[in-house]
Amino acid sequence: MTSTFPNISISTERLVLRPLDEDDVPALIETAADEQVTAWTSVAHPFAEADALRWITEQAPAERAAGHGIDFAVTEFLTQRLVGVLQLRKTNWHVRSTEMSYIIAPWARGEGYASEAALATAQWLFTDQRLERIELRTAADNTAAQQVAQKIGCISEGVLRGASIVRVRAENGTWTEARTDYIVWSLLPEDLEGAGEQLAESGGYAPYADWN
């Protein structure tokens, strides 16, 4: 029998992580149009309404039903505004592991939302879901995503050479693909000890341009 993630919401001090719904379509389209999202993620470019609807109504439900992962819309608690998406993929229920990635909308950067959402999700995975390993992979030049990994206590395990394809904007404005390295990060339950306190001591979820 295949294990699956429950279709739930996760709350933090400032955020609610919930299932994607069709009301998120305009914000997803605007987020996907951002240059940094185009460069560092596999989100389709260009990204149209049909792509957003397919993600929400087909791809995300299929991933969860198959036991492979889950997609969370990251929203502000007070305004309910979409500020990003957090994804879990390549979940192995026997090994008790999953891979995490995150995207923060351009209008929500500098607030520490990625680290807040990632830390809350990790705590939920290690406690309620009884997972024992979370893996993150960041492109070698994506230093902001690496800061998020470090902030929540991840350990860098090494480099996968030439394992990632990123998009590079040419002088004429067109996008081309380029091969780069992946940095592999891991987070185990014991790595979370003190992560919340460290964030609190630094004045909360310290601002930096967090996106992946």
Side-chain angles (χ1 to χ4, degrees):
M1 180 177 176
T2 301
S3 297
T4 60
F5 289 114
N7 204 24
I8 66 161
S9 296
I10 301 171
S11 296
T12 73
E13 181 181 348
R14 302 181 299 168
L15 302 172
V16 176
L17 283 69
R18 57 159 176 78
L20 289 163
D21 63 44
E22 293 189 23
D23 289 340
D24 297 321
V25 167
L28 288 175
I29 293 172
E30 188 175 353
T31 298
D34 178 70
E35 230 176 74
Q36 295 178 353
V37 173
T38 300
W40 298 118
T41 77
S42 60
V43 173
H45 180 78
F47 185 85
E49 180 178 355
D51 298 302
L53 287 171
R54 190 178 306 111
W55 183 358
I56 294 166
T57 63
E58 298 178 22
Q59 295 170 351
E63 284 286 318
R64 193 181 77 83
H68 297 158
I70 191 170
D71 291 4
F72 287 110
V74 182
T75 65
E76 287 181 330
F77 176 75
L78 293 177
T79 67
Q80 299 184 28
R81 179 180 64 161
L82 184 82
V83 298
V85 177
L86 186 143
Q87 293 181 301
L88 302 176
R89 288 290 184 270
K90 300 178 182 178
T91 305
N92 186 319
W93 293 98
H94 178 67
V95 179
R96 313 300 297 178
S97 68
T98 193
E99 184 176 317
M100 178 189 293
S101 62
Y102 32 80
I103 298 171
I104 297 298
W107 55 85
R109 293 177 192 148
E111 299 294 335
Y113 285 149
S115 53
E116 185 170 346
L119 181 59
T121 303
Q123 291 168 334
W124 171 71
L125 288 170
F126 290 147
T127 54
D128 293 15
Q129 301 303 300
R130 301 186 183 278
L131 264 63
E132 297 180 8
R133 173 182 168 89
I134 300 170
E135 187 171 299
L136 292 83
R137 299 187 178 197
T138 62
D141 292 330
N142 191 350
T143 56
Q146 293 158 28
Q147 286 179 313
V148 175
Q150 292 172 324
K151 197 71 176 179
I152 66 172
C154 292
I155 304 299
S156 175
E157 293 187 331
V159 176
L160 299 179
R161 296 183 301 164
S164 175
I165 298 293
V166 298
R167 299 184 184 110
V168 179
R169 196 175 184 90
E171 291 184 2
N172 64 3
T174 61
W175 289 93
T176 59
E177 292 186 341
R179 184 172 295 277
T180 189
D181 299 339
Y182 258 144
I183 299 177
V184 180
W185 306 80
S186 68
L187 188 69
L188 306 183
E190 56 266 31
D191 298 329
L192 279 187
E193 296 177 8
E197 289 82 356
Q198 179 183 349
L199 285 168
E201 289 172 3
S202 66
Y205 296 87
Y208 46 79
D210 46 9
W211 47 273
N212 187 34

